[in-house]
Amino acid sequence: MSTKRKIRIVVAKPGLDSHDRGAKVIARAFRDAGMEVIYTGLWQTPEQIVETALQEDVDVVALSILSGAHMTLFPKITKLMKQKGLNDILILGGGVIPDEDIPALKKIGIAEIFGPDTPTNTIIKFIKKHTQKT
């Protein structure tokens, strides 16, 4: 039995977006890849997501959004995470996000944006590479 700590990840749906099928699919893929997954459920505020990340001592926060509010909610979440000293947590974004918004999101601390057609294995490899855990 390995004593190595598993990658811990919060999968969160910020805002009023009610479409969580993709978040549930990705949460299951992370779990099947051996990660510990905390799914926040729908309609989470940025404050709730950051508090969950803090309390759960996670390595990754994966945000899923389809509502178009990513340019409002993602910056608020990254700002709150910095204020709480959560600077070493990998933050990912997913959902329907226009290509022209991606550079601005990366500039505020979103490590990568994954669109709806991204294979789950691509995301898992990215997480493992950037959390230094295999």
Side-chain angles (χ1 to χ4, degrees):
M1 180 175 185
S2 175
T3 58
K4 191 172 182 178
R5 182 178 180 265
K6 292 182 177 181
I7 296 171
R8 292 179 56 85
I9 182 166
V10 166
V11 175
K13 291 289 298 178
L16 300 177
D17 181 357
S18 296
H19 303 281
D20 66 345
R21 181 178 299 173
K24 289 178 178 174
V25 168
I26 200 71
R28 184 177 184 135
F30 293 159
R31 185 201 66 191
D32 291 349
M35 300 176 191
E36 289 187 30
V37 179
I38 300 99
Y39 174 53
T40 63
L42 295 170
W43 309 306
Q44 298 295 300
T45 66
E47 291 82 2
Q48 289 171 317
I49 293 167
V50 173
E51 190 62 29
T52 300
L54 181 65
Q55 289 181 4
E56 296 290 343
D57 189 26
V58 298
D59 305 294
V60 181
V61 171
L63 303 168
S64 172
I65 196 161
L66 299 172
S67 68
H70 54 278
M71 295 304 285
T72 301
L73 296 170
F74 286 7
K76 186 165 186 179
I77 291 166
T78 57
K79 181 180 177 184
L80 289 169
M81 289 184 68
K82 289 174 185 168
Q83 288 174 350
K84 295 277 187 178
L86 302 175
N87 301 315
D88 59 340
I89 295 177
L90 185 69
I91 307 171
L92 306 175
V96 179
I97 297 174
D99 289 343
E100 59 267 23
D101 292 345
I102 292 174
L105 293 171
K106 287 186 173 182
K107 190 173 182 178
I108 63 160
I110 306 294
E112 191 57 83
I113 301 292
F114 296 101
D117 295 329
T118 305
T120 55
N121 199 35
T122 299
I123 305 168
I124 291 165
K125 285 180 182 176
F126 185 90
I127 290 170
K128 288 181 176 179
K129 178 180 178 183
H130 290 86
T131 58
Q132 304 295 318
K133 297 177 182 181
T134 56

